């Protein structure tokens, strides 16, 4: 990039709109308590070297603060005995860490190539119109932050959406609108392959490694996941029999 | 044992996915779970390494490196502890096999992790799972808790004297962390950026200690090999690509989904099982193993989907993520969206990848809009030449593979982009899987 117009006022324009650091100048209020610090120390204790805990610790900070805050960064730095710059450097690298206050729910629409082509692009633009927000923006009522997300490993359920990082499979513009309307009205929403939707903050707490007791909700697999298995059952196909040391009987037992 | 006819589909890893509450320990044990662990603990670590080597298991995360050989690179005389790190950062566009495995049957992976740790002499193992899959994190965390209570994890496992601790570690959104050395940096609490090799992780990996990094499916394949033997495993598959594996079909097929088959099945066979391409449409192009593997066309339908078959066609087996696009799809648009992904996910460490992917997007954007200028195709290919192979890791190679292969097979479509927008040539609404109310609308 050669800024060719020289002279007194040439401004550097970054192509990375969100490339700034964590804002240490604004509102410095915090929800972090001694209890939070204790939990942060618990996370650090899981690892042979404490610094390994930084990613889950930042997830916990988000669950308490609703974003990565200066106070959260300072707490992590203090516990891990590293500088706040080192923590900020990590917090600004990963897309799941948010520097702006988040809505109650995070709604992601996959727009990586396959989902985009299968309809994800249209779903996203419909939702932006419907909610009156742009990418990575929060609705006025604070209920939903809408973001386009990259491939979420559910391509056989395309087009895919995520709510607080739970799967919403095989979406259409209509089902997407209905979904966000329900979330805004605080109606119960259940993931197509997961648990009842709680909040983004609750999700962040689980990602920090704290159980929310919902592991047994939802199915083992979605229909696409078991398609090959169902076809094999229908056709009587299976893996070869185990070569038996003593002949006969050994092969079929597992079925 | 050889060449008896093997069935077209061979569910092993997917076998219990349809079971009621398959993720619970008791249900996993009911279908024979943790028998392999008991069996493994009666063997020596070396015997297990050799077993996996002889079975012919190759890494299921994309590169296809022989798993047992990777294990054997761990030095025996290094004073530092050895670590096992399982790469569950499944993020390669199109790839969707590890996530359902961990969701449905997390114990398959946990059992594999314990056996593999014992085999390589690790007392500490980590599952690095991408952050954006909350329910998978829950199921894994619960499986680990259950395994500790049952005495399968922790100190003196089943009275064997073997100790293994297993930590579930959620990432925070970064495709690059699927690259093994970036994953290690991330697991050390740093920005996820690839490391220069050598030293290789086997010698200096996590905390500069000997480390084995394997994909979820590779580790999950270990228990069945221990259970059933190397001959059983290698009776499936082809000469150099042994065993069964999970193929993921997505996109413009009637019934997308997961298909576990012997290595070497063809796309034609898989498509038949999936009901074929959408009614009234033809296959246009596909990826064999995610967007980092060069695209192929209908002339490649009968090639064996194994490491050699795909390499022979100038592509790669990758993660066996078969993304199917029919004749409604614009190659230019799809290529743009893939390159936008790599631009977004480039970690920024290497200039060719960081800057080059940005410039590729600029060119592709104007091509999509039908505003390409004479020479754009050559400029793109020249950029690709200066990105691929000139960066620390394979992200850069993946970023250009989709461009160069798309130009190879569909050059005329890129030439049309000098004057006609992609959405006029291929109205986008027609590619969507739902009926579109505003067909052809420019997104």
């Amino acid at each position: 990039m050669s800024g060719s117009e020289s002279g007194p006022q040439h401004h550097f324009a970054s192509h990375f709109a969100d490339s700034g650091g964590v804002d240490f100048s604004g509102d410095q209020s915090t929800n972090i308590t001694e209890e939070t610090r204790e939990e942060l120390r618990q996370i650090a204790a899981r690892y042979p070297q404490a610094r390994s805990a930084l990613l889950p610790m930042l997830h916990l900070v988000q669950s308490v603060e609703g974003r990565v805050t200066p106070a959260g960064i300072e707490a992590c730095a203090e516990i891990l005995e590293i500088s706040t710059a080192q923590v900020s450097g990590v917090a600004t690298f990963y897309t799941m860490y948010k520097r702006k206050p988040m809505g109650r729910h995070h709604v992601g629409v996959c727009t990586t190539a396959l989902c985009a082509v299968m309809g994800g692009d249209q779903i996203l633009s419909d939702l932006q119109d419907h909610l009156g927000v742009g990418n990575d923006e929060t609705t006025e009522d604070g209920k939903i932050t809408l973001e386009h997300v990259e491939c979420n490993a559910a391509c056989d359920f395309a087009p895919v959406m995520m709510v607080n990082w739970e799967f919403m499979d095989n979406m259409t513009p209509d089902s997407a609108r209905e979904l966000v309307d329900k979330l805004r009205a605080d109606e119960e929403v259940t993931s197509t392959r997961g648990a009842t939707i709680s909040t983004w903050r609750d999700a962040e707490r689980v990602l920090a490694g704290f159980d929310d007791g919902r592991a047994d909700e939802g199915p083992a697999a979605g229909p696409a996941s078991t398609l090959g298995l169902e076809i094999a059952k229908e056709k009587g196909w299976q893996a070869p029999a185990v070569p038996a040391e003593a002949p006969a009987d050994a092969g079929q037992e597992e079925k | 044992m050889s060449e008896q006819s093997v069935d077209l589909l061979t569910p092993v890893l997917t076998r219990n996915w349809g079971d009621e509450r398959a993720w619970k320990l008791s249900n996993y044990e009911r279908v024979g779970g943790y028998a392999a662990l008991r069996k493994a603990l009666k063997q020596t670590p070396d015997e297990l390494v050799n077993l996996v080597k002889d079975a012919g298991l190759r890494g299921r995360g994309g590169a296809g490196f022989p798993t047992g050989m990777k294990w054997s690179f761990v030095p025996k005389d290094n004073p530092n502890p050895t670590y096992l790190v399982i790469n569950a950062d499944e993020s390669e566009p199109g790839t969707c096999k590890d996530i359902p495995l961990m969701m449905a049957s997390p114990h398959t992976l946990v059992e594999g992790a314990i056996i593999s740790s014992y085999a390589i002499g690790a007392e500490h193992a980590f599952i690095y799972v991408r952050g954006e899959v909350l329910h998978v994190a829950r199921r894994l965390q619960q499986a680990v808790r259950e395994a500790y209570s049952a005495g399968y994890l922790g100190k003196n496992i089943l009275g064997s004297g073997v100790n293994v601790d297993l930590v579930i570690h959620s990432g925070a959104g970064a495709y690059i962390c699927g690259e093994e050395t970036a994953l290690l940096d991330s697991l050390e609490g740093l920005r996820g950026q690839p490391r220069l090799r050598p030293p290789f992780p086997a010698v200096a990996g996590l905390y500069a200690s000997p480390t084995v990094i394997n994909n979820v499916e590779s580790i999950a394949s270990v228990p069945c090999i221990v259970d059933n033997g190397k001959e059983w495993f290698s009776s499936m598959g082809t000469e150099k690509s042994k065993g069964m594996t999970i193929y993921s079909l997505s996109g413009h097929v009637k019934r997308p989904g997961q298909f576990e088959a012997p290595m070497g099945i063809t796309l034609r066979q898989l498509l038949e099982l999936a009901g074929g391409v959408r009614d009234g449409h033809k296959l246009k192009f596909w990826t064999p193993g995610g967007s980092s593997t060069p695209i192929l066309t209908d002339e490649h339908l009968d090639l064996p989907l194994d490491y050699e078959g795909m390499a022979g066609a100038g592509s790669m087996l990758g993660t066996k993520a078969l993304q199917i696009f029919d004749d409604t799809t614009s190659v230019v648009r799809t290529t743009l969206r893939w390159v936008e992904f790599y631009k977004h996910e480039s970690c920024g460490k290497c200039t060719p990848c960081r800057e080059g992917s940005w410039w590729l997007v600029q060119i592709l954007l104007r091509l999509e809009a039908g505003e390409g200028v004479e020479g754009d195709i050559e400029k793109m290919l020249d950029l690709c030449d200066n990105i691929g192979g000139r960066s620390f890791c394979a992200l850069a190679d993946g970023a250009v593979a989709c461009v160069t292969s798309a130009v190879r097979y569909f050059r005329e479509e890129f030439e049309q982009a000098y004057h006609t927008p992609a959405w006029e040539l291929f109205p986008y609404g027609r590619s969507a899987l739902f009926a579109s109310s505003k067909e052809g609308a420019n997104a």
Side-chain angles (χ1 to χ4, degrees):
Chain A
M1 291 265 66
S2 66
S4 55
E5 60 277 75
S6 50
Q9 64 273 79
H10 81 229
H11 297 290
F12 173 72
S14 171
H15 294 294
F16 301 92
D18 288 322
S19 60
V22 175
D23 181 11
F24 277 79
S25 62
D27 177 18
Q28 298 297 305
S29 62
T30 177
N31 301 322
I32 291 180
T33 60
E34 192 41 47
E35 196 188 340
T36 317
R37 285 169 196 279
E38 184 45 42
E39 287 184 335
L40 289 170
R41 281 188 282 268
Q42 281 174 27
I43 300 173
R46 288 181 204 146
Y47 296 87
Q49 295 189 12
R51 180 158 179 176
S52 280
L54 183 51
L55 266 60
M57 285 167 77
L58 287 168
H59 281 305
L60 188 72
V61 165
Q62 295 206 117
S63 78
V64 174
E65 299 274 73
R67 66 179 172 118
V68 176
T69 55
I73 286 177
E74 277 159 9
C76 292
E78 204 183 291
I79 289 163
L80 297 178
E81 297 177 331
I82 56 179
S83 71
T84 52
Q86 286 171 307
V87 179
S88 294
V90 170
T92 52
F93 183 82
Y94 297 91
T95 53
M96 289 177 78
Y97 298 135
K98 304 300 182 189
R99 280 162 274 164
K100 291 185 293 188
M102 287 289 286
R104 182 175 170 82
H105 301 289
H106 176 267
V107 173
V109 182
C110 178
T111 55
T112 309
L114 186 118
C115 270
V117 170
M118 300 302 139
D121 274 356
Q122 195 189 320
I123 291 174
L124 179 66
S125 78
D126 266 33
L127 281 184
Q128 288 178 337
D129 287 350
H130 184 65
L131 297 173
V133 294
N135 185 48
D136 212 7
E137 289 178 5
T138 303
T139 51
E140 266 172 28
D141 58 7
K143 290 284 171 64
I144 288 175
T145 302
L146 181 67
E147 189 185 22
H148 72 80
V149 299
E150 301 295 356
C151 185
N152 225 103
C155 316
D156 46 346
F157 297 96
V160 170
M161 285 177 60
M162 306 298 295
V163 176
N164 305 333
W165 306 116
E166 296 263 22
F167 289 109
M168 291 292 169
D169 299 326
N170 301 117
M171 298 301 290
T172 67
D174 290 341
S175 64
R177 242 174 280 132
E178 192 185 321
L179 168 67
V180 295
D181 287 348
K182 278 187 172 173
L183 290 172
R184 291 182 88 179
D186 295 325
E187 287 175 41
E188 189 175 287
V189 170
T190 304
S191 160
T192 49
R193 259 185 310 145
T196 309
I197 299 300
S198 51
T199 65
W200 175 78
R201 288 195 188 198
D202 290 347
E204 284 293 312
R205 188 174 167 79
V206 177
L207 296 177
F210 295 98
D211 180 29
D212 67 353
R214 293 169 181 266
D216 291 335
E217 292 185 32
S225 313
T226 54
L227 177 61
L229 179 67
E230 294 304 321
I231 292 173
K233 274 185 189 159
E234 232 168 74
K235 307 256 188 190
W237 291 337
Q238 54 186 356
V242 178
E245 280 121 70
D249 82 68
Q252 307 282 22
E253 85 210 336
E254 292 282 278
K255 291 288 146 183
Chain B
M1 195 61 250
S2 61
E3 297 332 304
Q4 290 164 338
S5 78
V6 173
D7 289 341
L8 202 52
L9 294 179
T10 50
V12 178
L13 302 176
T14 56
R15 188 184 46 143
N16 61 335
W17 290 10
D19 294 359
E20 190 70 20
R21 292 158 74 88
W23 62 88
K24 301 294 279 186
L25 176 62
S26 52
N27 293 328
Y28 181 66
E29 287 174 324
R30 196 165 302 138
V31 293
Y34 288 101
L37 175 62
R38 291 171 199 279
K39 203 167 160 185
L41 290 171
K42 292 186 189 121
Q43 300 174 44
T44 67
D46 281 347
E47 282 170 345
L48 289 169
V49 172
N50 286 329
L51 174 74
V52 171
K53 216 190 256 181
D54 295 345
L57 174 64
R58 294 172 66 174
R60 302 298 197 227
F65 194 82
T67 304
M69 199 182 296
K70 205 181 220 185
W71 291 5
S72 69
F73 291 157
V74 173
K76 297 241 190 292
D77 52 356
N78 193 306
N80 293 335
T82 298
Y83 296 103
L84 173 69
V85 177
I86 295 165
N87 185 344
D89 193 53
E90 183 165 70
S91 309
E92 169 71 19
T95 310
C96 47
K97 63 188 176 71
D98 297 338
I99 295 299
L101 187 148
M102 294 184 285
M103 177 112 85
S105 189
H107 280 289
T108 308
L109 179 62
V110 171
E111 184 180 15
I114 304 165
I115 298 171
S116 306
S117 295
Y118 170 56
I120 63 167
E123 296 201 340
H124 249 109
F126 301 86
I127 299 177
Y128 185 108
V129 58
R130 67 181 298 183
E132 305 97 322
V133 286
L134 179 62
H135 210 51
V136 172
R138 286 195 186 104
R139 294 258 165 98
L140 284 172
Q141 290 168 5
Q142 175 170 280
V144 166
R145 283 195 301 272
E146 287 180 321
Y148 270 105
S149 326
Y152 296 137
L153 276 170
K155 298 269 174 274
N156 192 20
I157 293 168
L158 301 174
S160 64
V162 174
N163 310 321
V164 178
D165 280 310
L166 177 58
V167 175
I168 304 300
H169 181 92
S170 287
Y175 167 69
I176 188 61
C177 293
E179 197 281 335
E180 61 178 19
T181 61
L183 188 154
L184 292 176
D185 265 26
S186 181
L187 184 52
E188 290 182 4
L190 303 166
R191 299 166 81 103
Q193 295 190 312
R195 300 174 178 177
L196 187 62
R197 280 160 291 193
F200 288 93
V203 179
L206 186 67
Y207 314 133
S209 301
T211 303
V212 168
I213 307 162
N214 283 134
N215 167 260
V216 167
E217 191 189 344
S218 311
I219 294 294
S221 299
V222 170
C224 70
I225 294 174
V226 172
D227 250 339
N228 304 332
K230 59 190 180 195
E231 287 84 9
W232 169 84
F233 187 77
S234 59
S235 73
M236 294 177 274
T238 53
E239 177 68 30
K240 289 181 177 157
S241 302
K242 299 294 188 194
M244 74 297 152
T245 192
I246 304 172
Y247 292 94
S248 313
L249 252 78
S250 61
H252 289 134
V253 291
K254 266 206 197 136
R255 295 192 295 168
Q258 308 297 321
F259 298 85
E260 193 174 8
M263 280 272 184
I265 193 170
T266 67
L267 181 59
R268 189 184 300 281
Q269 290 171 314
L270 282 169
L271 272 179
E272 210 163 285
L273 296 171
V277 172
R278 287 194 301 174
D279 279 338
H281 295 285
K282 288 197 326 231
L283 173 67
K284 183 170 177 182
F285 62 97
W286 55 287
T287 65
S291 56
S292 298
T293 59
I295 63 166
L296 297 172
T297 67
D298 59 358
E299 67 186 87
H300 305 105
L301 273 170
D302 294 308
L303 293 176
L305 291 167
D306 62 7
Y307 299 104
E308 291 69 35
M310 290 300 102
S315 189
M316 290 183 294
L317 184 63
T319 52
K320 305 149 286 136
L322 304 141
Q323 306 174 85
I324 310 295
F325 296 91
D326 71 17
D327 49 13
T328 64
T329 314
S330 159
V331 174
V332 174
R333 175 196 189 194
T334 312
T335 307
L336 165 66
R337 304 310 291 268
W338 274 327
V339 177
E340 281 184 325
F341 170 82
Y342 291 104
K343 180 204 127 198
H344 183 258
E345 299 299 333
S346 173
C347 76
K349 181 164 183 156
C350 309
T351 309
C353 172
R354 182 187 65 238
E355 304 296 321
S357 57
W358 187 87
W359 282 108
L360 278 177
V361 168
Q362 303 313 302
I363 297 174
L364 281 160
L365 275 171
R366 66 178 181 242
L367 288 171
E368 187 198 28
E371 293 163 2
V373 294
E374 206 63 45
D376 269 355
I377 297 176
E378 289 68 30
K379 188 171 287 168
M380 267 199 320
L381 294 176
D382 187 43
L383 271 169
C384 290
D385 253 0
N386 284 294
I387 299 170
R390 293 176 196 268
S391 304
F392 268 54
C393 82
L395 187 146
D397 305 334
V400 301
C402 55
V403 180
T404 53
S405 57
V407 173
R408 182 183 317 143
Y409 295 113
F410 298 98
R411 192 181 184 102
E412 66 291 350
E413 222 175 288
F414 286 89
E415 283 163 359
Q416 286 174 307
Y418 292 172
H419 47 76
T420 313
W423 52 80
E424 280 177 21
L425 293 167
F426 299 92
Y428 291 174
R430 289 186 198 162
S431 298
L433 292 182
F434 43 78
S436 173
S437 51
K438 40 179 182 183
E439 181 167 294
N442 174 16

